[in-house]
RNA sequence: GCGGAUGUGGCGAAAUUGGUAGACGCACUAGACUUAGGAUCUAGCGCCGCGAGGCAUGGGGGUUCGAGUCCCUCCAUCCGCACCA
């Protein structure tokens, strides 16, 4: 009987669906385990072989944990709101809800092919009102909360208002130090003042505290996409999606006050099991630094400039001060003589795109004409402006120490500003001294001190003089939370007199209205601004960004049909953290950071009991495409083989990898490819073949290098496909896809099948296994279990292959061996395992069979083979009785001919036993 | 520039704590069975050497009886951040 995988897989997939085999309950006597994939955005391109890599790994692990006796939550859903669906709608006139549904159906069909054990009864789709009702609800809670810096947690805004009524804002200063209350011109108020404020003023003040708030700010505006983007959605000055130019623009936007959580997001990293690379990426993004703020008086002015520095110890090396070109006091500082030059420079800076700035890194700047005074020496310090100082970080002003900072050094050299040396001989005049080991010279009361001691001393003196203080800074900015788009969650917000007011919970969900046109509204507003019924109600016309729905979906899976809450307390208490979260590294600073923040917020407010969403994160590597190229001689229809192309002027074209065998082009298929666009093509061959060029690139439709899993499943079966994806290599590693080796895995499954079935039918016996057969089995149990636990699926698959090879050699068809092996194999090849389990006459499903227990006793051997090395180099191998004592073994070894030959007459210095199984002689 | 990772046969890769480097698979070679095979099976397969043996884990150095693994140093590739004071 043949291994008919198509029939088998179809049969069991149907069976599992009918019996709801993967449905999981929120009540169980078993311990829980939560295995989660990063849910996909259902794009129109469908799945390629890269997508299922992580899904297969998580499915194997989920099935393994289930066999091990856990109640396993393993859900799947769709992150369905987002830009591409809307772009598609603009181009093709298809409503996003329609194309999204189509794409989801397509994804589902493709996923089902592979035999995943998802509990589809828990499916969530972020674009459905039943789901986004709760996204809106959580947003409302963020809006109605503030961050209590004393308690270091979020609380209801009512708590804050009560405190204002009693104490004014003395306990809770306004986070933005520059904010001034219009009625008083101050940023502090008493209880009495609070009582006097108008509602309008009160709301304006509260907006300064809310964790979701609306404000004007510099945003990343992408004209092509017609929307703003979060910092993590902008890469190298262009949009992550589409690569369109991005400019800075001042707009009214919604923000999440993620900066309040910066410290906790950093500390939380110590409690989770993420890779170092991932933790580093996150902590770099958060970008905590400690240093000091120092005030420099301006000569001839009552003002002083505050700078931020991480190296207060170098204060005696300050040779100039640099302000960001956008610095707000610039007009007061610039002298008449320098006014034109400064205006010119600011125009120049404005003319430069983000991209140019990043690419060129030119040294540029201009003197303002004013001088600051050194807080200790009173020395006159020129004040410059330059684009290398960023308005958005620190105070937008720095004290430049050329001898201690490379950028300041280059700037000083470029503009011939005299450099003060505070590092003695360590500073050569060529390069700044940036090591923290340096000892200070020429620095008044700091001379002779090291970095730390000096920094503390400086801060102490500054404090005493009232000219500075210790200060912590973060790179992370509050997250832009609005998009001028249609296909996203509407904000549950109504505007009155320029103040946003929350809808009541009873009004949720605020449903996304149907629109005919997705064109942007006026003044950079979203398409919703074109709908009268919407604007009549003064609803917010922006929608939430893509990451809103994905910031909490892992909680919804716990209790997906709850209409009273986003997730019941019992459900979140039971499932708690996601035990294993699998996905790509591309979400390191976006999704993962936002999810962590939302979780901490929901924890603070008492709705869930844990404050880190993901206990362990596994990053699967990207599967790249291996592209193939053909070379058309310029202006002709003749294609020249790769090896000969340099003799001609050619254009390089991507060619579909599916019509290339290795690197050899199938010319017949090529002529029919793309509706026979190249039917009349001529070829210049080498050795009778057309050889293609190759390159490893991202897998994408436009590069014709995608491999569709459906075709592979059709040809080899889901079980082969699953095992092959795992066999490719370590899960975290990126690698180009190569279909070649799949035959080997398929052969393995056929070989396994033949252990059960001969030509005439089932050949499994009830005979008692031999010692070698037991050993083959238990070796595999041990290896597969260990490998699964450490997510090393490629080596686990290899272990199966070794086992089946050995059993085949021994012609072992014994149930006592084969049945446990099947259970081991279930997570990897569930269809085949279930089929053979039934064939062996077992009742019930193999999905719930008990995982076989490893027993050491089967691995113990009767005699031992000792590798014998001399001075660490293997010389011979000796078979010695197991029960021999060390002394007896030593005597035997010394009698050995090979050993004697190598020892000759040299004296034996040492006799080393390694782990009782290896011998080394030192001579 | 900073941070992280990786480097082992023709290829994908193993080697979990320093202990027989190259398991397993692909490709390749020879053979068997076949009308045939892109089916199956057997054997071989790091390099040099007839052999004994020697040399091999990016290069160089070190620690050790023994190093792919630990330390120093240099090189290459990939990823992330990028004027963050």
């Amino acid at each position: 009987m043949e291994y008919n995988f198509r029939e088998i897989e179809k049969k069991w997939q149907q069976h599992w669906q009918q019996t709801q085999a993967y449905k999981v309950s929120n009540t169980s006597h078993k311990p829980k385990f939560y295995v989660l994939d990063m849910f996909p955005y259902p794009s129109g391109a469908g799945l390629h072989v890269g997508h299922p890599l992580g899904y297969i790994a998580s499915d194997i692990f989920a099935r393994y944990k289930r066999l091990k006796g856990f109640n396993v939550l393993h859900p799947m859903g769709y992150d369905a709101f987002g830009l591409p669906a809307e772009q598609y709608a603009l181009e093709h006139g298809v409503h996003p809800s329609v194309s999204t549904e189509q794409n989801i159906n397509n994804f589902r069909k493709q996923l089902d092919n592979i035999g995943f054990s998802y509990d589809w009864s828990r499916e969530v789709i972020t674009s459905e009102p039943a789901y986004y009702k709760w996204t809106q609800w959580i947003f409302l809670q963020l809006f109605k909360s503030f961050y209590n810096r004393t308690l270091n947690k979020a609380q209801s805004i009512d708590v804050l208002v009560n405190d204002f009524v009693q104490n004014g804002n003395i306990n809770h200063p306004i986070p933005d130090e520059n904010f001034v209350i219009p009625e008083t011109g101050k940023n502090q108020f008493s209880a009495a003042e609070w009582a006097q404020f108008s509602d309008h003023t009160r709301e304006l003040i509260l907006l300064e505290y809310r964790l979701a708030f609306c404000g004007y700010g510099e945003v990343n505006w992408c004209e092509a996409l017609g929307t703003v983007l979060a910092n993590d959605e902008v890469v190298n000055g262009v949009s992550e999606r589409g690569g369109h130019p991005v400019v800075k623009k001042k707009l009214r936007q919604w923000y999440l006050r993620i900066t309040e959580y910066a410290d906790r997001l950093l500390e939380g990293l110590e409690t989770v099991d993420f890779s170092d690379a991932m933790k580093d990426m996150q902590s770099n993004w958060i970008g905590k630094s400690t240093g000091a703020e120092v005030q420099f008086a301006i000569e001839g002015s009552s003002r002083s400039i505050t700078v931020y520095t991480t190296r207060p110890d170098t204060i005696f090396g300050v040779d100039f001060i640099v302000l960001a070109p956008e610095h707000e006091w610039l007009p007061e500082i610039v002298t008449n003589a320098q006014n034109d030059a400064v205006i010119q420079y600011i125009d120049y800076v404005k003319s430069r795109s983000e991209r140019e700035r990043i690419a060129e890194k030119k040294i540029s700047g201009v003197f303002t004409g004013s001088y600051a005074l050194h807080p200790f020496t009173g020395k006159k310090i020129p004040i410059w402006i330059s684009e290398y100082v960023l308005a958005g970080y620190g105070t937008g002003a720095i004290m430049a120490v050329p001898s201690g900072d490379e950028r300041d050094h280059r700037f000083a050299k470029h503009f011939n500003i005299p450099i003060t040396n505070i590092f003695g001989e360590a500073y050569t005049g060529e390069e700044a001294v940036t090591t923290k080991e340096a000892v200070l010279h020429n620095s008044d009361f700091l001379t002779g001190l090291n970095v730390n001691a000096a920094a503390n001393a400086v801060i102490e003196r500054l404090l005493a003089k009232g000219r500075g203080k210790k200060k912590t800074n973060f790179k992370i900015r509050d997250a832009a939370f609005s998009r001028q788009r249609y296909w996203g969650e509407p904000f549950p917000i109504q505007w009155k007199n320029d103040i946003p007011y929350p809808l009541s919970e009873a009004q949720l969900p605020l449903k996304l209205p149907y629109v005919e046109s997705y064109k942007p509204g006026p003044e950079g507003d979203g398409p919703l601004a074109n709908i009268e019924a919407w604007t009549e109600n003064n609803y917010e016309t922006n929608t939430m960004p893509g990451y809103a729905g994905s910031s909490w979906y892992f909680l919804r899976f716990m209790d997906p049909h709850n209409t009273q809450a986003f997730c019941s307390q019992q459900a979140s208490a039971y499932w708690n953290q996601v035990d294993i979260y699998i996905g790509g590294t591309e979400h390191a600073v976006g999704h993962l950071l936002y999810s962590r923040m939302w979780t901490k917020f929901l924890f603070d407010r008492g709705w869930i009991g844990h404050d880190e969403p993901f206990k362990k994160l596994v990053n699967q590597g990207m599967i790249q495409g291996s592209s193939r190229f053909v070379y058309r001689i310029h202006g002709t229809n003749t294609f020249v083989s790769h090896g000969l192309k340099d003799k001609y002027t050619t254009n390089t074209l991507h060619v579909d990898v599916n019509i290339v065998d290795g690197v050899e082009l199938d010319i017949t298929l090529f002529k029919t490819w793309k509706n026979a666009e190249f039917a009349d093509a001529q070829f210049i061959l080498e050795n009778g073949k057309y050889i293609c060029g190759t390159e490893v690139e991202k897998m994408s439709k436009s590069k014709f290098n995608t491999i569709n899993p459906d075709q592979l499943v059709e040809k080899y079966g889901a079980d082969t496909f699953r095992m092959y994806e795992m066999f490719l290599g370590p899960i975290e590693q990126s690698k180009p896809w190569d279909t070649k080796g799949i035959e080997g895995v398929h052969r393995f499954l056929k070989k396994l099948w033949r252990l059960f079935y001969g030509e005439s039918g089932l050949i499994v016996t009830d005979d008692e296994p031999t010692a070698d057969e037991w050993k083959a089995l238990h070796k595999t149990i041990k290896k597969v279990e260990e490998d699964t636990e450490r997510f090393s699926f490629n080596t686990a698959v290899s272990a199966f292959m070794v086992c089946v090879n050995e059993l085949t050699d021994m012609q072992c068809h014994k149930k006592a061996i084969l049945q446990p092996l099947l259970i081991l194999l279930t997570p990897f090849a569930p269809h085949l395992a279930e089929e053979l389990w039934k064939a062996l006459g077992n009742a019930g499903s193999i999905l719930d069979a008990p995982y076989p227990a490893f027993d050491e006793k089967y691995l113990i051997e009767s005699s031992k083979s000792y590798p014998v090395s001399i001075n660490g180099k293997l010389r011979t191998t000796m078979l010695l009785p197991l029960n021999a004592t060390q002394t007896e073994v030593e005597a035997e070894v010394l009698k050995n001919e090979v050993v004697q030959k190598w020892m000759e007459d040299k004296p034996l210095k040492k006799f080393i036993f390694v782990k009782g199984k290896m011998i080394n002689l030192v001579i």
Side-chain angles (χ1 to χ4, degrees):
Chain A
M1 262 177 80
E2 282 291 299
Y3 167 38
N4 189 340
F5 54 85
R6 287 193 195 94
E7 209 172 278
I8 293 169
E9 290 175 359
K10 202 173 143 202
K11 175 169 120 194
W12 289 108
Q13 282 176 10
Q14 273 175 8
H15 177 79
W16 292 329
Q17 205 184 347
Q18 280 158 13
T19 56
Q20 297 193 302
Y22 299 116
K23 203 167 163 155
V24 56
S25 160
N26 276 8
T27 49
S28 169
H29 61 279
K30 296 176 187 170
K32 72 96 191 184
F33 203 87
Y34 189 178
V35 182
L36 184 66
D37 293 295
M38 289 186 187
F39 68 163
Y41 175 80
S43 82
L47 288 179
H48 62 63
V49 289
H51 295 107
L53 185 73
Y55 303 160
I56 294 169
S58 67
D59 194 63
I60 289 172
F61 202 76
R63 286 173 179 275
Y64 164 78
K65 277 286 171 185
R66 178 170 168 169
L67 290 170
K68 277 281 191 180
F70 288 83
N71 189 34
V72 179
L73 178 56
H74 187 220
M76 185 43 105
Y78 303 97
D79 188 14
F81 272 137
L83 268 173
E86 193 165 345
Q87 290 293 103
Y88 188 82
L90 269 172
E91 285 157 26
H92 299 92
V94 180
H95 194 274
S97 66
V98 174
S99 59
T100 299
E101 195 186 332
Q102 278 169 0
N103 293 348
I104 285 176
N105 290 340
N106 185 36
F107 259 66
R108 177 64 191 275
K109 226 166 57 200
Q110 288 193 290
L111 289 173
D112 282 348
N113 256 337
I114 303 170
F116 291 121
S117 62
Y118 294 123
D119 177 358
W120 284 107
S121 73
R122 291 177 185 254
E123 177 187 73
V124 301
I125 298 172
T126 57
S127 60
E128 284 185 348
Y131 181 88
Y132 69 67
K133 170 182 177 177
W134 297 107
T135 309
Q136 292 174 334
W137 184 87
I138 296 172
F139 170 83
L140 278 187
Q141 309 316 313
L142 284 159
F143 182 80
K144 294 193 277 189
S145 299
F146 79 110
Y147 201 82
N148 185 327
R149 292 186 176 184
T150 315
L151 299 177
N152 212 9
K153 65 181 250 192
Q155 284 183 306
S156 166
I157 199 92
D158 297 339
V159 173
L160 185 70
V161 172
N162 283 339
D163 204 65
F164 287 170
V165 168
Q166 286 171 28
N167 308 308
N169 76 338
I170 185 85
N171 296 325
H172 303 288
I174 296 175
D176 177 1
E177 290 170 13
N178 297 322
F179 180 84
V180 288
I181 296 156
E183 292 177 24
T184 62
K186 298 187 297 181
N187 70 355
Q188 273 203 4
F189 55 84
S190 64
E193 282 173 310
W194 175 257
Q196 303 275 308
F197 288 152
S198 67
D199 281 351
H200 190 263
T201 300
R202 287 182 187 171
E203 287 300 332
L204 278 182
I205 293 169
L206 289 178
L207 215 46
E208 290 294 310
Y209 292 87
R210 296 181 188 276
L211 285 177
F213 66 100
C214 197
Y216 283 88
E218 290 254 312
V219 295
N220 306 302
W221 174 259
C222 180
E223 189 63 45
L225 296 174
T227 188
V228 299
L229 299 170
N231 285 349
D232 61 275
E233 292 169 321
V234 182
V235 180
N236 292 330
V238 299
S239 68
E240 187 187 24
R241 231 173 241 288
H244 304 294
V246 172
V247 294
K248 291 278 180 200
K249 200 169 176 179
K250 249 194 155 118
L251 273 179
R252 200 205 73 211
Q253 292 300 323
W254 285 92
Y255 292 92
L256 294 186
R257 219 178 280 281
I258 194 170
T259 47
E260 294 286 3
Y261 281 94
D263 248 326
R264 281 169 64 190
L265 288 169
L266 206 55
E267 286 162 14
L269 287 175
E270 285 162 30
T271 69
V272 294
D273 187 358
F274 294 6
S275 69
D276 286 346
M278 184 61 58
K279 288 184 180 181
D280 282 344
M281 268 190 249
Q282 290 208 8
S283 53
N284 285 345
W285 187 261
I286 295 166
K288 183 175 182 169
S289 71
T290 52
E293 276 186 5
V294 185
Q295 288 168 23
F296 285 79
I298 301 171
E299 192 188 38
S301 162
S302 57
R303 283 248 194 239
S304 57
I305 289 174
T306 307
V307 304
Y308 173 70
T309 177
T310 54
R311 294 291 303 275
D313 55 297
T314 60
I315 196 156
F316 288 97
V318 177
D319 291 316
F320 51 100
I321 278 181
V322 190
L323 309 184
E326 299 88 354
H327 200 281
E328 53 178 335
W329 300 343
L330 216 47
E332 297 174 45
I333 290 167
V334 178
T335 59
N336 289 337
Q338 286 301 98
N339 203 29
D340 286 351
V342 167
I343 286 171
Q344 217 172 29
Y345 182 70
I346 289 173
D347 281 345
Y348 156 80
V349 170
K350 277 190 185 152
S351 75
R352 270 157 69 83
S353 70
E354 195 83 345
R355 265 199 109 153
E356 284 171 331
R357 261 178 78 146
I358 292 167
E360 292 174 20
K361 281 192 190 171
K362 279 209 277 194
I363 301 172
S364 71
V366 62
F367 179 45
T368 61
S370 289
Y371 291 87
L373 300 171
H374 194 281
F376 295 118
T377 65
K379 187 178 99 176
K380 275 174 72 174
I381 304 166
I383 303 173
W384 289 64
I385 62 172
S386 170
E387 61 178 329
Y388 87 88
V389 175
L390 307 174
Y393 181 77
T395 60
I398 63 157
M399 58 178 222
V401 182
S403 57
D405 183 282
E406 276 174 43
R407 291 154 306 178
D408 299 345
H409 195 258
R410 277 197 305 264
F411 194 87
K413 287 272 178 191
H414 188 261
F415 290 106
N416 285 318
I417 303 169
I419 294 170
T420 306
N421 178 13
I422 52 166
F423 295 104
E425 283 173 12
Y427 176 67
T428 60
E430 291 303 314
E431 253 185 354
V433 179
T434 52
T435 70
K436 297 214 165 179
E437 279 78 55
V439 172
L440 294 163
H441 292 64
N442 193 20
S443 289
D444 197 318
F445 63 94
L446 301 176
T447 301
L449 295 182
N450 67 21
V451 170
N452 279 337
N456 291 334
V458 167
I459 290 167
E460 221 168 274
R461 292 253 190 144
L462 286 169
L463 266 177
K465 285 178 134 228
R467 312 248 18 135
K469 61 180 181 192
K470 202 168 176 173
K471 172 83 184 177
T472 302
N473 252 317
F474 294 92
K475 279 196 244 178
I476 193 170
R477 299 276 81 96
D478 281 331
F481 195 67
S482 41
R483 299 290 180 269
Q484 292 67 42
R485 300 320 308 262
Y486 168 70
W487 194 232
E489 299 87 349
F491 284 85
I493 289 290
Q494 262 175 318
W495 287 85
K496 280 174 215 151
N497 301 326
D498 233 22
I499 296 290
Y501 290 92
L503 297 189
S504 72
E505 287 180 23
Q507 289 170 279
L508 300 184
L510 176 61
K511 285 196 188 162
L512 188 62
Y514 187 85
V515 293
E516 290 297 335
S517 154
Y518 313 96
K519 301 257 171 352
E523 314 265 322
D525 270 337
L528 292 179
N530 298 327
I531 301 175
E532 231 172 86
W534 198 261
T535 48
E536 256 172 22
N537 279 304
N538 295 312
Y539 288 139
E540 168 64 54
T541 57
N542 284 336
T543 54
M544 298 187 200
Y547 64 82
S550 61
S551 293
W552 70 282
Y553 75 108
F554 40 89
L555 295 166
R556 189 63 179 171
F557 280 136
M558 298 171 179
D559 195 6
H561 307 296
N562 194 330
T563 55
Q564 304 305 307
F566 67 94
C567 173
S568 74
Q569 298 248 10
Q570 296 101 298
S572 72
Y574 177 66
W575 291 111
N576 201 267
Q577 285 174 294
V578 174
D579 292 284
I580 298 233
Y581 194 33
I582 300 177
T585 41
E586 64 271 22
H587 297 110
V589 292
H591 162 64
L592 282 170
L593 224 40
Y594 299 126
S595 301
R596 293 182 58 222
M597 178 205 162
W598 284 43
T599 301
K600 285 176 190 301
F601 167 71
L602 294 171
F603 169 80
D604 284 354
R605 297 297 317 272
W607 290 300
I608 57 173
H610 56 280
D611 88 329
E612 280 290 342
F614 315 117
K615 197 181 204 166
K616 181 180 167 80
L617 178 70
V618 174
N619 291 115
Q620 98 260 22
M622 207 156 32
I623 297 216
Q624 294 133 319
S626 184
S627 302
R628 295 291 179 273
F629 299 96
V630 291
Y631 305 93
R632 177 160 57 187
I633 297 175
H634 188 72
T636 71
N637 203 16
T638 301
F639 292 83
V640 56
S641 187
H642 179 257
L644 306 170
K645 75 176 165 69
D646 292 344
K647 295 182 184 164
Y648 306 87
T649 311
T650 56
N651 301 332
T652 306
L653 279 78
H654 274 96
V655 64
D656 191 337
V657 289
N658 295 298
I659 60 170
V660 180
D661 180 16
V663 290
E664 188 189 344
L665 182 70
D666 186 323
I667 287 173
T668 323
L669 285 176
F670 181 66
K671 287 185 171 180
T672 59
W673 183 53
K674 275 194 168 178
N675 299 322
E677 187 182 329
F678 306 110
D680 304 324
Q682 303 289 308
F683 300 92
I684 299 175
L685 307 177
E686 48 185 319
N687 304 323
K689 293 171 177 175
Y690 189 97
I691 305 299
C692 297
T694 65
E695 202 175 305
V696 172
E697 300 179 290
K698 204 175 162 181
M699 205 174 261
S700 100
K701 277 233 151 134
S702 64
K703 298 189 172 87
F704 299 107
N705 60 5
T706 56
I707 306 284
N708 189 324
D710 302 356
Q711 289 165 16
L712 293 169
V713 169
E714 169 59 26
K715 191 163 175 198
Y716 299 101
D719 287 334
T720 298
F721 179 69
R722 290 166 63 101
M723 293 197 90
Y724 182 57
E725 286 240 353
M726 292 302 98
F727 186 66
L728 279 176
I731 195 86
E732 325 68 47
Q733 217 162 85
S734 288
K735 56 230 151 194
W737 177 263
D738 180 9
T739 304
K740 270 187 180 165
I742 198 168
E743 297 276 358
V745 175
H746 192 58
R747 266 198 279 269
F748 152 73
L749 288 180
K750 285 198 278 192
K751 217 166 164 178
L752 176 85
W753 180 264
R754 286 198 300 272
L755 288 174
F756 291 78
Y757 282 101
E759 290 192 5
S760 51
L762 201 66
I763 52 171
V764 178
T765 71
D766 284 326
D767 297 349
E768 181 59 24
T770 64
D772 281 344
E773 288 165 347
W774 280 123
K775 187 181 161 189
L777 172 67
H778 280 268
K779 216 169 60 180
T780 311
I781 295 175
K782 183 167 194 258
K783 180 89 177 122
V784 169
E785 185 170 345
E786 281 172 3
D787 287 348
T788 303
E789 288 285 354
R790 66 187 174 107
F791 264 73
S792 175
F793 298 120
N794 55 329
T795 52
V797 173
S798 295
F800 280 119
M801 290 177 171
V802 172
C803 182
V804 166
N805 285 346
E806 287 177 357
L807 294 179
T808 304
D809 286 348
M810 293 187 275
Q811 299 189 21
C812 172
H813 304 289
K814 295 168 185 168
K815 188 174 175 183
I817 300 293
L818 296 180
Q819 182 153 310
L821 187 65
L822 272 190
I823 302 174
L824 282 190
L825 192 72
T826 306
F828 295 82
H831 312 84
L832 178 61
E834 187 87 275
E835 173 73 16
L836 292 172
W837 173 261
K838 268 272 141 43
L840 292 182
N842 290 293
S845 169
I846 197 169
L847 303 176
D848 293 308
Y851 203 78
F854 164 66
D855 193 335
E856 186 81 47
K857 79 178 180 210
Y858 293 108
L859 301 194
I860 293 171
E861 318 193 19
S862 56
S863 60
K864 262 190 195 170
S865 173
Y866 289 89
V868 180
S869 47
I870 292 166
N871 289 343
K873 195 135 224 160
L874 180 75
R875 296 303 175 189
T876 187
T877 309
M878 294 178 68
L879 200 64
L880 297 166
L882 184 68
N883 56 3
T885 64
Q886 185 165 338
T887 325
E888 284 164 351
V889 170
E890 283 182 26
E892 281 301 311
V893 168
L894 290 174
K895 272 191 259 169
N896 182 285
E897 269 178 46
V898 180
V899 173
Q900 285 185 350
K901 187 193 139 205
W902 278 100
M903 306 246 321
E904 287 173 351
D905 50 358
K906 279 167 260 169
L908 177 68
K909 284 199 196 130
K910 230 202 266 179
F911 202 105
I912 302 170
F913 265 94
V914 181
K915 294 178 182 173
K917 63 172 279 232
M918 190 180 172
I919 292 158
N920 188 41
L921 305 176
V922 185
I923 58 174

